[in-house]
């Protein structure tokens, strides 16, 4: 079975929705938001074609 590939733009509405659900229902919804954030970051990384070392350096501000 093939895995669906998401774009950052396609995930943005879901990120907002999940954030609103966390605000409304609390920590019970946090795992959903965490998963979507990870998917969003992965989609962004695929778009930029950045090396792993460059990504970590950017995160560390170096």
């Amino acid at each position: 079975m093939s895995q669906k590939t998401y774009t950052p733009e396609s995930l943005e509405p879901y990120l907002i929705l999940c954030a609103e659900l966390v605000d409304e229902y609390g920590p019970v919804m946090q795992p959903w938001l965490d998963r979507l954030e990870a998917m969003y970051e992965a989609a962004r990384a695929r778009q930029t074609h950045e090396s792993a070392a460059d990504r970590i350096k950017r995160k560390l501000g170096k």
Side-chain angles (χ1 to χ4, degrees), residues 2-54:
S2 66
Q3 187 173 357
K4 184 172 179 169
T5 303
Y6 297 96
T7 64
E9 295 79 19
S10 70
L11 293 171
E12 287 173 2
Y14 299 109
L15 275 169
I16 294 168
L17 173 65
C18 275
E20 290 171 348
L21 290 172
V22 169
D23 289 344
E24 186 172 338
Y25 294 104
V28 71
M29 294 302 297
Q30 189 64 47
W32 288 78
L33 181 58
D34 294 343
R35 173 66 179 169
L36 275 169
E37 283 185 278
M39 290 172 66
Y40 181 80
E41 289 299 325
R44 283 188 54 205
R46 280 192 306 272
Q47 261 190 348
T48 61
H49 305 291
E50 181 177 49
S51 73
D54 289 339

